Each structure stands twice: as C-alpha cells, then as structure tokens.
Amino acid sequence: MQHAHCRPNHPLPKTDGDKPMTDDLLLKITDVSKSFGSVRALRGVNFDLRRGEIHALAGENGAGKSTLMNIIDGILRPDSGEILIDGQAVTIASPTQAQQLGIGFVHQEIALCPDVSVAENVFMAATNVSRALVMDYGGLCAKAATTLGQLCDISPATLVRDLSISNQQLVEIAKALTLECRVLILDEPTAALTEKEAQILFGIMRKLADQGISIIYISHRMVEIFDNCDRVTVFRDGQHITTQEVADIGPDDVVNAMVGRVIDDLYPPKLDAADRSDDMILEVRNLTDDNRFHNVNFHLKRGEILGFAGLIGSGRSEIAKGVCRLECSVRGETFLNGALLTPRDYQDSIQAGVVYLSEDRKGDGIFLDMAISANVSALDLQRVSSPLGVLNSAQETQQAADLGRMLNLKCGCLSDPVSSLSGGNQQKVAIAKMLSINPKLIILDEPTRGVDVGAKCEIHRILRALAAQGVGIVVISSELPELIGLCDRVAVVREGRISGEVSGAKMTEENIMQLASVTDATAA
Amino acid sequence: MRNSTLTDTGTTQAGRTGAGQTGATPKQASAAAAQNIVLRLLRMRETGLIAIILALFIVMSFASPYFLTWVNMRAMVMAFAVEGIVVIGMTILLISGGIDLSVGSVTALAMVVAGWLFLAGVDPWLASAIAILVCTGVGAIMGFFVTRVGLHHFIVSLAVMVIARGICLLATGGRPLGLFTLPPEFKFIGQGSIGPVPLVIIIFLVTVVAFDFLLRKTTVFRKVFYTGSNERAAAYSGIRTKKVVFLTTTLCSALCGFAGIIYMARFGSAQPTFGIGMELNVIAAAVIGGASLSGGTGTIFGAILGVVLLSVVSSSLALLDVSVYWQDIIRGSILLAAVSIDHYLQKRRGRK
Ligand SMILES: Nc1ncnc2c1ncn2[C@@H]1O[C@H](COP(=O)(O)OP(=O)(O)OP(=O)(O)O)[C@@H](O)[C@H]1O
Ligand SMILES: [Mg+2]
C-alpha cells in the first residue's frame, strides 16, 4: 500500500504549511521562443506562476512581455518551448481554449465593441459560451452592474463608444473579472487609469490573490510593483533576466535589470529662477465650449512646462482639444507668442505650430496598418515632399529614422506597419509624429502612457530640452508623480473649470488631489 | 538582422538637431535594403496574382489554339482597358473607405448625355466634356450626401445607381442612340490605333501609370490612405477627412464619365442599358488586387492585375464554350476563392 504521495513522506513537518506557497506552481513556462520574421521577440524564456501570487512582469518596451502573454492566451503560438498548467503540458490554440483553462486576459490595448452597451461587453465572453437562444438583457445589466460596482459607477446601459479611455479600461477589467479564472493577466492596466481607480484595482487584485487566483501584472511603474506584488520577473530583449521576491530587491535593481544601466535622475532638473522669463508663449483667455468647459484662462511662459491635472471627465483633454480646435467649437482667445491665433480647425492649428498628442493612441493617435515612416510624417507631408507635392520616400524614412533614434524607438524596419510594434513603441511613434513638424506648442495628453522607465526619462529630457529652446510644452497626465516631477506649474481642472494652480513647494499630490476632487463645500 | 536597427546606439541626445548619424554603414544598409526588396517582392500579393495569371495563360494556350493569338489578346485587352479606368477610380475610393455601386449607371449616363447633346447639334467634344462634368456632378452629389448628410456610401450610391439608370432610360426611351454621324476624329478615340496599338490601350496605360504614380507618390493621395486607414487618427493629424472622401467619391464618378465617353466613341452609339452589373466586376477586381473594403489598403497595380485576371478567366471560359450562366457562377467563385486565400495568407502572416 505504498502511495506515491510526496508530501507526507517529506521529513519537514514544520515548514509544511509554507510549502504550498513556494512550490505550488500553477503555470510554468519553459524555454519559450517566438520570432516575427527577423524580430526575435522571445528567446527561450522561463517563467512560473505560483497559486495565489501577484507576479509582476517588467521590461523595456519591446522586451516581449505582451508577446509571452499572447502566447499564454493562445493568441500566438510559440515557435518552441513548453507551457505547463498544474504540471501538465498543454497547447493553447485559441483564446477560447485559454478561457476554458481558466486564463483571463486584460489586454494592453483596449478591445471592446464600441457600438454595444457596457453590459454586453462585460459579458461578451460569458455570452460566448452560453447556449441560451434569447439573451436575458435585464439580468445581464444587473450582473454587469454588480461586477462593475466593485470598480466604479459606470451605467451598464451606456454605449462603450461614449466612455472615456479610463472607463473603457475599467470595463475591460470587469470583463476579465466575470470569468471564473485561475490566472488573471493584466497587461499595463493602470496606464489608462487615474490614481484612485488604480488603488481600487489593487484592492481587488489582492482580494483575488487571497482567494487563490494567480495574477500576472505588467507595469512600467515601479511603485505599483513594489506596493502590490509578491514577486517580480524582468525581461530584456526577449530574454529572462531575473525573478525575485519583491522583498529581496529594490526598485533600482529592477530598473537596472530592465535597462541594463542605472537611471539616477528620473526627472530632468526644473527651470531655475535665473532662467525664468516673462515672455509669454501661450495665453488662453476665456476659452469656452458650452457643454464641456467654461471661461478657461491660463498661460505658459518661455522655458516653463505646464501640467494639467484633474480627474477623468474633468475636461482636461477637452480644453486641450479646444485650444487646437479639434472636434469642438469654442469661443475665446488664444495668443501664441503674443500673436492672436484664429484657427478654423486643427489643420490651421498645425500650420500655426500648435499640436495635440491624443490620449487614445489606438483610436486616434496612429495608423496601425500603415508604415512607421508614414505615421511619423502624417501631420505635415510638405516636409517630406517636393513643392509640387511629390513625396520623397528617402526623406520620409530619414525623418522617421532621426526621430526614432532620438526617442529610442525599437523596430525591425521603418516600412513595417505600426501594428508590429510593442505598445510603448507605438506611443513613441505617436510622439515622433508630433515632433516631426518642429512645433511651437505641444499639448501632450498622457505622453508616457505605456512607455518604459528608460524611455520615459528620455522623453522627459526631450520635453525639457524643447522647453528650453522656447517650445511651449503642456502636459496632461493622470500620474501625479510625473506631473510633479516634470512640470514647473500644475493647473488643476475640475468640472470644466480651472480650480487652481500650484507651483514650487506647493506642488504636492495632496494639494492637487484636493483641488481636483469635488467637495460639497465648494459645490454649494 | 537584429531586433533593433535604431537602438543600441547607446547615446541619445536631446533636441532634434542633436540626433546623431550613428546608424549602419551605407554598405550594410544597401545590402539590407536589397534583401528587403526581395523579401517584400515575395510577400507582395501582386506576385501571387501574376503567378496565377501566368499559370492561366500557360494552361489556356494548351487548351485552346485561339487563346494565344494576336486577335484574342487584342480583344481581351480592349475589353478590360476601359473598365480598368473605372477600376482605378473604385480602388481609390475603396482606399479612402468608401464604395460606389453606381459606376455602371454613371458610365451609361455619360454616354447618354453626350449622345443626346450630340444629336441635338452640339459639337461632340463639347458634348463629351459636358457629359464628364455631369458625371462629376453626380459624384459630388454623392459626396455631399456621404460627408455632409452623413449617410453611408453604400446606400447613397445604390440610390444613385437606380436614379442614373432611370435618367438614361427616360432620355432615350430605352433604345440605344445611334450616332452614325460622329466625326471620324472623335471615333478615333475608341476605334483608332497608333501603329499596331489601339489608342484605347494607350489611354488606359497612361491613366494607370499616372494614377499609380499619384497614389504612391503624392501628398494629396497619401491623405486618402490616412483617411481610409483610420479616419479619426487622420482628423487628429489635421487632415480634412470629409474633403478627402468628397474628392475620392467625385473622382470615381468623373473617371466613370471618362470611360463612358471612350465607350461611346468605340461603339458609335450611346447605350442606356450599358454597364449593368459592372460594379460587381469592378469591385471584385479591386478587391482581388488587394483593396480592402474597410479602407486603407490597395494599389492601382494590384487592381489592374485583378482586372486582367477576371478578363483572362472570362476570355478563357468563352473560348472553352462554357455557357454564359456557368461563367457567372465561376467568376463569383473565383472572387470568393481569391479573397479567401488572400485573407488566409494575411492572417497567417500575422500569427507567424
Ligand atoms: N505582430 C508582430 N509582428 C512583428 N513584430 C512584432 C509583432 N508583435 C510584436 N512584435 C515585436 O516583438 C517584440 C516584443 O513585443 P511585445 O509587444 O511583446 O513587447 P512588450 O514587452 O509588451 O513592450 P511594451 O512595454 O511596449 O508593451 C517587439 O520588438 C515588437 O516589435
Ligand atoms: Mg506590451
């Protein structure tokens, strides 16, 4: 009667209770490789996931994080290597199969059906497997409301296209939560969330982990990794560099492992008092759009970087678009370098050198199917063409190559479509597009969304250098540390109005949050 | 090739002017470029189409002694040359994200308007110019409904298809207008040849080369790609997308008008029922050639290969004495097969 059970035979009764925590592997990946043409996205990586742990995955843009997740979710097939779930080798051929194996995946790029209600999106996967002929729409809404309720208060009946990006991201997360999964993959879920929403998400993650669900958490934000995760794995150039308990390692070590060098100053030095100038780059007076913002006044001085903070839906992005005359009809005056601007539409605005980097990269920032070089030149084709309007492809490629090098873009070939790039590198293409016209004023909405630490630091440095050259820089960001670290002054938007401004020592998260949040006292 | 052509330079400078030239050496670059061109040639769908067409040629030259004759080749080219001009317009419209079902009717409308004016005593050249203008106007009206009123191309062009056909029939009482008194120099457009080459073919080739160049090389037409690829992103790049769509819609109808005039000169008559079902052939050719119905992709060269393929098939079926009814079934199946194979290859490329 010899049973082959291992555990009772082990002579370590004391640590037996801890044993499952360290040995109980739910998912194990060995020696997985994946190439796209000549691009080797993964080269023999190993990865394992314990039951009930939150495992952070870090790495530069293009390190192969999303590729590995896509393999686990059956979207991509590995060239070689093995995936073990509960110790059994499996081939995951499709996302449906991954779902059956208990894998839930929140993608880096939002993939919702825009013309369908939130409730139906949330239960897309569930209705997918259901055999019922007629949908119980009321029941669906109620169920969606409960799932969503943990995260936020979005009405389940609204259409997804009417939601802001951050709310769409929340719907995407809710979608994964409805699946009774054992492994939950979150690929940069907080890139599009505000601090508050992110904290709620972390609470839910911990609760799930305590229930024994394992979570793979991808993020470029060290704070999030160190505050919420149990272990961290670092990839670089498609290779596994290290896996450590978060307790045994510091943020600097992770960054070092990711980038291969030490990053000492995350943010470039601010404008010092001696360099201050009274030259106005931008002055906005009484900018009003009847539905979305009212009597907005702000200015930007030479050399300065101005930040815009505010909750989602506060109207930050709308004001920025208003300045550029994008998608709205506004009243009010805008002065650029002292001259009154009278653009009829965004095209005029671009001609005047005023550009806006959209927060919705996939929706309106880039042309996924088009070449990288064609994306970069989209704002002003005149720059890469003869006076008669004949494109010069050598010039176009050169422009993309120059800007790409400056932003540390990682790509196979500049004529490849942007869809072949990793998320962070797509963002760099969007930024390169803005820089291509040598703008006079750039308004950047979440400029470093999805960008890795090293490149983020580089983008900040470039913005600072541009500001020093006299280019107006306005940054909108939901990441308060970024605003505080980068900007000289932060304007806070609340319900379509500028509720206050902070600078210098007053620029703290508490002050900004206080100005941003609606309190009953001020509402009355 | 390494994963990174642009990184690994180690140094990154701030400021645009500071970006250094630390890329690959010119020699490496040109070798890589040559390799790239070969790879891209192999990957291009045009290569596949050419292969299929060549295969058909070889098979047919054995199957029928008449296939590889000068007369048959000439007839074949004449048959698709004028339609090819319409395909160009359709391809550009498809790239911008639109579609036009009215091409056949509008082509007939050009004939009828020009023919009617001519019979009323107007100089044939002037009559033709007016007819092309009328067609351009029809396109502009469709463009208006699509961009200003906000209707879908499909429904607008469906309505115009019926209306234009109705006008043709109304103006002619449904009978062809015989234009026997057309001056010979006008008929020369459709019937003459320069040396051994019919003028129609020369007009066709010139149009193809011109639009191929415009589409690939000019800023104006690049905006068509941006608009079709992602209309919102195009708007967020300062492109006046409505204007682009308006122009591509108008251009397509204008090219139909042009084609109609050539047909009139060739037939020496104006046929109000001409071009029924033409839209199917035209759209099929563009799609076989790689244009996507969701916009953003397509080439003139590919579309022309699509036309050639369909004509070779038609001509082969006729030579092989296949019944007309069967011909339609076969043509439809070929469209389905070509598009499916292409779709499959695209998808596999994406996953690989
Ligand atoms: N479909 C594809 N075709 C070609 N190359 C691809 C494709 N998908 C990914 N790649 C390449 O594979 C590499 C890894 O990409 P991946 O998306 O996994 O990066 P990532 O680690 O998720 O980066 P990020 O932090 O920017 O999201 C990149 O160099 C990318 O260009
Ligand atoms: Mg990624």
Side-chain angles (χ1 to χ4, degrees):
Chain A
M1 266 204 29
Q2 269 257 263
H3 278 285
H5 277 302
C6 305
R7 204 156 287 137
N9 292 340
H10 265 294
L12 285 167
K14 278 255 163 75
T15 52
D16 212 2
D18 296 331
K19 206 73 180 154
M21 263 318 281
T22 45
D23 251 347
D24 199 5
L25 291 185
L26 182 54
L27 175 73
K28 189 168 164 59
I29 282 163
T30 37
D31 212 21
V32 161
S33 295
K34 174 78 189 170
S35 298
F36 298 98
S38 59
V39 177
R40 294 176 67 194
L42 292 174
R43 327 181 191 184
V45 296
N46 298 313
F47 181 83
D48 58 57
L49 187 65
R50 297 173 189 156
R51 213 175 295 279
E53 79 164 341
I54 304 182
H55 194 141
L57 183 55
E60 282 187 293
N61 295 133
K65 305 179 295 290
S66 301
T67 304
L68 181 63
M69 296 308 117
N70 284 329
I71 287 175
I72 297 176
D73 197 45
I75 296 167
L76 294 171
R77 222 108 359 111
D79 298 339
S80 64
E82 217 180 12
I83 304 175
L84 300 160
I85 290 184
D86 283 330
Q88 301 228 309
V90 287
T91 14
I92 306 174
S94 70
T96 319
Q97 200 185 339
Q99 255 172 43
Q100 284 156 1
L101 286 166
I103 295 166
F105 190 2
V106 176
H107 287 264
Q108 181 170 17
E109 307 292 343
I110 292 166
L112 297 169
C113 303
D115 297 314
V116 170
S117 76
V118 169
E120 281 164 285
N121 266 287
V122 168
F123 282 99
M124 195 153 27
T127 44
N128 199 5
V129 291
S130 128
R131 291 247 163 12
L133 202 56
V134 183
M135 279 222 298
D136 170 17
Y137 193 71
L140 208 63
C141 270
K143 257 166 55 189
T146 0
T147 317
L148 275 167
Q150 313 168 35
L151 285 161
C152 55
D153 49 355
I154 302 170
S155 154
T158 30
L159 296 187
V160 164
R161 64 156 68 241
D162 297 329
L163 296 180
S164 68
I165 294 298
S166 79
N167 281 344
Q168 290 187 13
Q169 180 71 65
L170 289 171
V171 172
E172 191 75 69
I173 293 169
K175 203 168 103 183
L177 292 182
T178 59
L179 302 169
E180 312 250 305
C181 53
R182 293 186 291 165
V183 179
L184 179 62
I185 302 171
L186 299 164
D187 195 350
E188 298 188 36
T190 53
L193 295 185
T194 57
E195 188 68 28
K196 212 173 110 196
E197 294 158 332
Q199 289 307 332
I200 297 174
L201 174 66
F202 296 140
I204 294 174
M205 276 164 56
R206 185 46 70 190
K207 212 167 74 195
L208 292 176
D210 289 343
Q211 288 165 16
I213 293 173
S214 310
I215 298 175
I216 305 177
Y217 181 76
I218 300 180
S219 176
H220 289 295
R221 301 185 187 164
M222 291 305 131
V223 189
E224 295 178 353
I225 293 178
F226 280 85
D227 286 357
N228 305 294
C229 301
D230 303 315
R231 283 199 302 166
V232 54
T233 290
V234 180
F235 280 6
R236 184 166 78 222
D237 276 339
Q239 279 165 318
H240 176 266
I241 302 292
T242 179
T243 298
Q244 302 271 331
E245 298 285 338
V246 163
D248 301 343
I249 188 175
D252 291 346
D253 305 319
V254 172
V255 171
N256 198 354
M258 266 169 72
V259 197
R261 68 193 150 97
V262 185
I263 295 183
D264 22 81
D265 275 330
L266 269 185
Y267 297 103
K270 301 205 177 185
L271 188 64
D272 54 40
D275 288 338
R276 274 189 197 286
S277 141
D278 277 336
D279 295 352
M280 276 303 180
I281 295 232
L282 173 75
E283 207 177 343
V284 173
R285 289 191 204 144
N286 291 326
L287 198 71
T288 299
D289 172 302
D290 289 324
N291 301 320
R292 297 184 278 191
F293 50 87
H294 316 275
N295 286 323
V296 173
N297 291 288
F298 65 91
H299 68 270
L300 175 69
K301 288 186 176 154
R302 197 185 155 86
E304 211 183 26
I305 295 184
L306 174 66
F308 263 86
L311 301 177
I312 299 298
S314 60
R316 304 176 303 183
S317 305
E318 281 70 22
I319 293 172
K321 290 182 199 171
V323 172
C324 301
R325 301 295 188 275
L326 237 174
E327 278 190 352
C328 55
S329 56
V330 291
R331 284 173 279 123
E333 290 167 325
T334 313
F335 295 88
L336 184 68
N337 296 319
L340 181 66
L341 274 189
T342 50
R344 281 171 300 144
D345 58 11
Y346 188 42
Q347 162 93 72
D348 288 346
S349 182
I350 292 173
Q351 290 302 323
V354 179
V355 292
Y356 168 74
L357 173 74
S358 164
E359 63 176 327
D360 183 1
R361 173 171 68 223
K362 196 173 157 203
D364 42 42
I366 48 174
F367 306 93
L368 271 177
D369 300 332
M370 294 184 71
I372 296 168
S373 53
N375 266 275
V376 173
S377 58
L379 279 188
D380 187 1
L381 288 167
Q382 237 77 60
R383 283 173 186 275
V384 292
S385 62
S386 73
L388 283 177
V390 178
L391 289 164
N392 180 336
S393 46
Q395 224 173 325
E396 189 172 41
T397 312
Q398 189 59 44
Q399 171 178 285
D402 286 346
L403 287 165
R405 194 172 306 123
M406 176 172 147
L407 292 167
N408 217 354
L409 179 74
K410 190 172 197 176
C411 63
C413 174
L414 289 168
S415 56
D416 287 346
V418 171
S419 56
S420 72
L421 297 180
S422 76
N425 283 306
Q426 293 181 5
Q427 180 70 15
K428 292 178 195 170
V429 171
I431 294 179
K433 182 168 100 173
M434 298 298 134
L435 298 182
S436 71
I437 66 157
N438 284 329
K440 297 201 177 81
L441 170 71
I442 322 177
I443 307 180
L444 304 110
D445 206 345
E446 311 285 0
T448 56
R449 164 168 297 168
V451 171
D452 69 53
V453 198
K456 190 169 178 175
C457 181
E458 205 54 54
I459 289 172
H460 289 156
R461 279 238 298 282
I462 290 167
L463 292 181
R464 193 37 96 180
L466 288 171
Q469 287 166 24
V471 178
I473 307 281
V474 177
V475 175
I476 301 174
S477 177
S478 297
E479 203 187 331
L480 290 182
E482 175 175 43
L483 281 182
I484 294 168
L486 176 69
C487 303
D488 301 294
R489 199 151 53 82
V490 173
V492 184
V493 184
R494 183 177 66 209
E495 296 186 318
R497 291 193 162 77
I498 293 194
S499 60
E501 241 183 54
V502 288
S503 60
K506 289 228 187 64
M507 222 160 44
T508 61
E509 295 198 21
E510 296 77 56
N511 286 347
I512 294 176
M513 279 321 289
Q514 199 169 13
L515 284 167
S517 52
V518 192
T519 58
D520 287 335
T522 51
Chain B
M1 224 170 79
R2 286 284 318 273
N3 188 0
S4 46
T5 43
L6 295 172
T7 50
D8 292 357
T9 54
T11 51
T12 32
Q13 291 101 327
R16 283 215 57 185
T17 44
Q21 303 277 346
T22 39
T25 64
K27 214 179 220 167
Q28 282 173 319
S30 70
Q35 194 192 357
N36 242 320
I37 289 171
V38 173
L39 269 177
R40 262 171 56 190
L41 264 180
L42 281 179
R43 263 193 295 175
M44 260 175 14
R45 86 183 77 211
E46 280 86 350
T47 321
L49 269 177
I50 293 174
I52 297 175
I53 293 170
L54 282 180
L56 264 176
F57 257 83
I58 295 169
V59 171
M60 275 313 293
S61 55
F62 285 110
S64 161
Y66 304 106
F67 185 76
L68 259 186
T69 58
W70 175 242
V71 179
N72 186 48
M73 286 298 125
R74 193 185 132 113
M76 221 166 65
V77 178
M78 288 292 279
F80 72 66
V82 192
E83 202 168 271
I85 294 175
V86 179
V87 171
I88 292 173
M90 181 68 83
T91 305
I92 296 173
L93 182 57
L94 284 173
I95 293 172
S96 76
I99 193 165
D100 186 353
L101 302 180
S102 72
V103 285
S105 307
V106 173
T107 306
L109 184 68
M111 284 174 148
V112 168
V113 170
W116 189 82
L117 285 172
F118 173 70
L119 291 180
V122 181
D123 172 73
W125 300 100
L126 181 63
S128 304
I130 294 174
I132 293 178
L133 269 180
V134 167
C135 293
T136 312
V138 170
I141 292 171
M142 287 198 282
F144 170 83
F145 276 100
V146 170
T147 57
R148 297 289 150 195
V149 182
L151 305 181
H152 196 277
H153 263 110
F154 190 91
I155 201 70
V156 172
S157 64
L158 185 67
V160 168
M161 165 173 123
V162 182
I163 296 172
R165 182 69 66 193
I167 294 174
C168 290
L169 295 171
L170 192 69
T172 59
R175 284 177 299 276
L177 304 176
L179 309 170
F180 310 109
T181 51
L182 271 178
E185 63 274 17
F186 187 83
K187 285 194 204 153
F188 187 75
I189 304 177
Q191 299 169 5
S193 31
I194 295 176
V197 190
L199 186 61
V200 170
I201 293 175
I202 296 176
I203 295 176
F204 166 67
L205 287 178
V206 169
T207 326
V208 168
V209 171
F211 276 98
D212 184 62
F213 174 80
L214 288 172
L215 202 57
R216 278 186 304 109
K217 279 290 180 188
T218 62
T219 56
V220 180
F221 283 90
R222 171 64 76 74
K223 291 180 184 170
V224 174
F225 280 97
Y226 287 136
T227 304
S229 174
N230 182 345
E231 188 165 351
R232 278 174 59 91
Y236 274 64
S237 301
I239 292 164
R240 295 178 175 133
T241 53
K242 288 191 169 162
K243 203 167 111 185
V244 170
V245 173
F246 181 84
L247 288 178
T248 53
T249 313
T250 311
L251 176 69
C252 181
S253 297
L255 285 173
C256 290
F258 183 51
I261 297 304
I262 301 177
Y263 276 125
M264 185 178 84
R266 188 158 130 211
F267 302 144
S269 67
Q271 300 171 4
T273 53
F274 181 80
I276 291 177
M278 179 171 163
E279 62 281 351
L280 290 184
N281 235 3
V282 170
I283 294 171
V287 172
I288 290 176
S292 146
L293 288 180
S294 51
T297 49
T299 59
I300 298 293
F301 184 50
I304 295 308
L305 287 178
V307 181
V308 173
L309 177 64
L310 287 179
S311 310
V312 173
V313 170
S314 289
S315 154
S316 311
L317 294 174
L319 282 178
L320 295 177
D321 258 340
V322 178
S323 106
V324 193
Y325 308 119
W326 270 110
Q327 290 190 20
D328 279 344
I329 296 172
I330 293 174
R331 251 198 310 233
S333 314
I334 285 182
L335 171 65
L336 214 53
V339 177
S340 310
I341 291 172
D342 185 64
H343 183 76
Y344 171 75
L345 289 179
Q346 294 285 99
K347 222 167 99 180
R348 223 184 54 168
R349 205 169 295 151
R351 293 186 72 128
K352 175 63 210 124

